[in-house]
Amino acid sequence: MNLLKEKYDLKAIEFPGEERDCCERDSIQRRPRAASRISAYTWSEILPLRTTEEKRKKLLASFASLRFSFREREPPWRNRGREEISTAASAAATKMGEEKREGGGDAGPSRSVKPSIPPYMKAISGSLGGVVEACCLQPIDVIKTRLQLDRSGSYKGILHCGSTVASTEGVRALWKGLTPFATHLTLKYTLRMGSNAVFQSAFKDSKTGTISNQGRMAAGFGAGVLEALAIVTPFEVVKIRLQQQKGLSTELLKYKGPIHCAHTIIHEEGLRGLWAGAAPTVMRNGTNQAAMFTAKNAFDTILWKKHEGDGKVLQPWQSMISGFLAGTAGPVCTGPFDVVKTRLMAQSRSAGEVKYKGMIHALRTIFAEEGLVALWKGLLPRLMRIPPGQAIMWAVADQVTGLYERRYLHNAHM
């Protein structure tokens, strides 16, 4: 055998068609590459043979002498290629088996896509949650606004501010601006939840229906920017103008109500006046929603093992915990934007000269005149309002979407 190896271990050549076909006709297809390793020396021995049968016997003899050393003569890349193909085939078979078990049948493209709640249902759930939140937390929002507008130090804290407003202006003063606030919250959550669902659909993987954390943050930021420009800014301008008024007599107040306030602003300052402070509002809401939607999904997964489309409906207290935790990061990160937004919205352009020229100028002015801490004025009441507000909103929204998910998505998927 060693002599044969030495004899045939010469420069390999490819056979012409006739002899290669001869090999294949005699069931040597399993090792066609071995035929190419028959040396030029052997081929020179085959050429004088006259009949095809004699050539065939010579080829078979040469093939037999090489078959034992075939694998060790194979180039390394060929074995590696076969191993990679085998590994890929095994992985594909395993994945198909898992999809069959999960889908309850043959795996297919439609089976692998996760079901999702439609945007209109997300919008409805957000609007209902916004109404409940507005009614519960309006007094805290009034206190927050008064503290942010207090430059002389009239209020010593949250409790002192609330008690002062209630004693001097009546308890109803704590619900000043409720109509624009409730309307603005309802529309804001409708747009926020619906647009976030639309943006998430755009960022989802088309094959699996899943979305990455980066995609979730981008969708949340987009929803925050959209709601800030379309709804939040004009409604908050009206709300803040109403909340900053002090006194009991309606006749002495400049703005008699939300409609009168909006009409007066447009008449005195133009339509642009309703979008005062739009830049910090966009930054505040975009950052808030990017963090909130990402954190809410993370807390639902970590705490309750809840995934969208699994048919599991969270209990209200579970949604409240996830929503509360998700709503804590935003106010801390966006405190300066919120203070600047309030100052820009509160100043009237009807007098001509305004103190703050824009977002950057307001940040620099507040820092120079009142110090760094002033940029986080009203943080505590924001933390008292936003996380509980998110808890209330998500408790309502999760029940609505959970009912839809269990009744339509999960049953259809099963």
Side-chain angles (χ1 to χ4, degrees):
M1 180 61 68
N2 291 332
L3 292 175
L4 287 173
K5 288 183 179 180
E6 292 176 4
K7 177 181 178 180
Y8 295 128
D9 195 15
L10 300 174
K11 183 179 179 182
I13 63 170
E14 291 289 340
F15 281 169
E18 180 183 352
E19 284 71 26
R20 185 62 174 267
D21 292 341
C22 173
C23 294
E24 293 176 353
R25 283 198 302 272
D26 289 273
S27 302
I28 312 178
Q29 298 95 325
R30 294 183 180 180
R31 300 188 183 274
R33 292 189 183 91
S36 67
R37 293 187 173 277
I38 298 177
S39 64
Y41 180 77
T42 305
W43 180 246
S44 67
E45 289 182 339
I46 296 173
L47 287 177
L49 301 179
R50 296 182 178 181
T51 65
T52 305
E53 181 65 18
E54 289 174 334
K55 292 181 181 180
R56 186 183 71 82
K57 289 180 180 179
K58 187 67 176 177
L59 286 171
L60 290 175
S62 299
F63 185 87
S65 68
L66 292 174
R67 63 194 178 102
F68 296 103
S69 59
F70 174 69
R71 284 198 175 276
E72 57 188 52
R73 288 169 182 263
E74 279 281 90
W77 63 267
R78 287 179 178 163
N79 285 330
R80 185 166 61 251
R82 282 196 294 271
E83 292 173 0
E84 291 174 355
I85 293 173
S86 176
T87 304
S90 300
T94 304
K95 184 176 180 181
M96 289 177 66
E98 292 175 354
E99 290 176 350
K100 283 186 178 182
R101 287 193 297 272
E102 293 176 0
D106 294 335
S110 61
R111 290 280 186 179
S112 61
V113 178
K114 293 177 63 177
S116 59
I117 301 171
Y120 75 85
M121 186 53 59
K122 293 284 188 75
I124 293 173
S125 68
S127 65
L128 295 176
V131 172
V132 179
E133 177 187 343
C135 295
C136 295
L137 300 180
Q138 174 65 6
I140 296 177
D141 191 70
V142 171
I143 293 172
K144 182 214 73 165
T145 303
R146 291 292 182 90
L147 286 173
Q148 288 181 337
L149 296 174
D150 180 29
R151 301 177 187 176
S152 59
S154 302
Y155 304 119
K156 309 303 180 184
I158 296 174
L159 295 178
H160 179 259
C161 178
S163 61
T164 301
V165 171
S167 61
T168 58
E169 305 175 44
V171 177
R172 290 181 58 185
L174 292 173
W175 273 266
K176 276 186 175 181
L178 176 61
T179 301
F181 184 56
T183 305
H184 132 259
L185 269 189
T186 303
L187 296 176
K188 178 176 74 173
Y189 283 134
T190 301
L191 181 61
R192 175 190 299 178
M193 301 291 281
S195 62
N196 180 72
V198 173
F199 289 139
Q200 283 194 5
S201 299
F203 288 111
K204 281 182 179 179
D205 187 287
S206 58
K207 296 181 179 179
T208 62
T210 58
I211 183 172
S212 64
N213 285 332
Q214 292 84 353
R216 200 178 299 276
M217 291 184 69
F221 189 86
V225 171
L226 187 59
E227 72 177 16
L229 293 175
I231 295 173
V232 175
T233 303
F235 274 92
E236 289 215 356
V237 167
V238 173
K239 182 196 71 171
I240 289 173
R241 296 288 180 90
L242 290 172
Q243 288 178 347
Q244 72 175 343
Q245 297 184 123
K246 299 179 181 180
L248 293 173
S249 176
T250 307
E251 290 76 15
L252 299 178
L253 299 177
K254 180 178 181 179
Y255 306 116
K256 314 302 181 184
I259 304 298
H260 180 262
C261 179
H263 183 269
T264 303
I265 293 173
I266 294 174
H267 178 71
E268 295 181 349
E269 307 171 39
L271 190 62
R272 185 181 174 185
L274 289 175
W275 271 267
T281 307
V282 164
M283 294 301 299
R284 183 198 67 169
N285 282 55
T287 307
N288 265 338
Q289 304 327 312
M292 190 270 293
F293 279 108
T294 306
K296 176 61 167 60
N297 178 77
F299 285 125
D300 282 349
T301 304
I302 295 171
L303 298 177
W304 323 119
K305 310 300 180 185
K306 163 65 180 170
H307 301 275
E308 184 174 333
D310 61 3
K312 181 179 180 180
V313 181
L314 296 179
Q315 295 296 322
W317 64 269
Q318 292 176 317
S319 298
M320 293 184 75
I321 292 175
S322 297
F324 186 93
L325 294 174
T328 54
V332 177
C333 298
T334 62
F337 292 124
D338 191 63
V339 172
V340 170
K341 174 212 63 133
T342 304
R343 296 286 180 92
L344 290 174
M345 290 180 175
Q347 66 181 3
S348 174
R349 296 177 181 272
S350 59
E353 188 69 21
V354 293
K355 183 174 183 178
Y356 306 114
K357 312 298 183 184
M359 181 177 69
I360 303 300
H361 181 259
L363 283 170
R364 296 174 60 184
T365 303
I366 294 171
F367 174 75
E369 294 180 355
E370 306 173 46
L372 181 64
V373 180
L375 292 173
W376 274 269
K377 271 189 174 182
L379 176 62
L380 188 56
R382 282 193 79 202
L383 289 174
M384 292 179 63
R385 180 183 68 83
I386 293 178
Q390 292 300 306
I392 294 171
M393 192 279 295
W394 282 110
V396 176
D398 279 353
Q399 292 302 303
V400 175
T401 55
L403 179 63
Y404 178 90
E405 186 176 319
R406 182 173 56 185
R407 177 168 296 182
Y408 297 101
L409 296 186
H410 187 61
N411 290 341
H413 185 60
M414 292 296 290

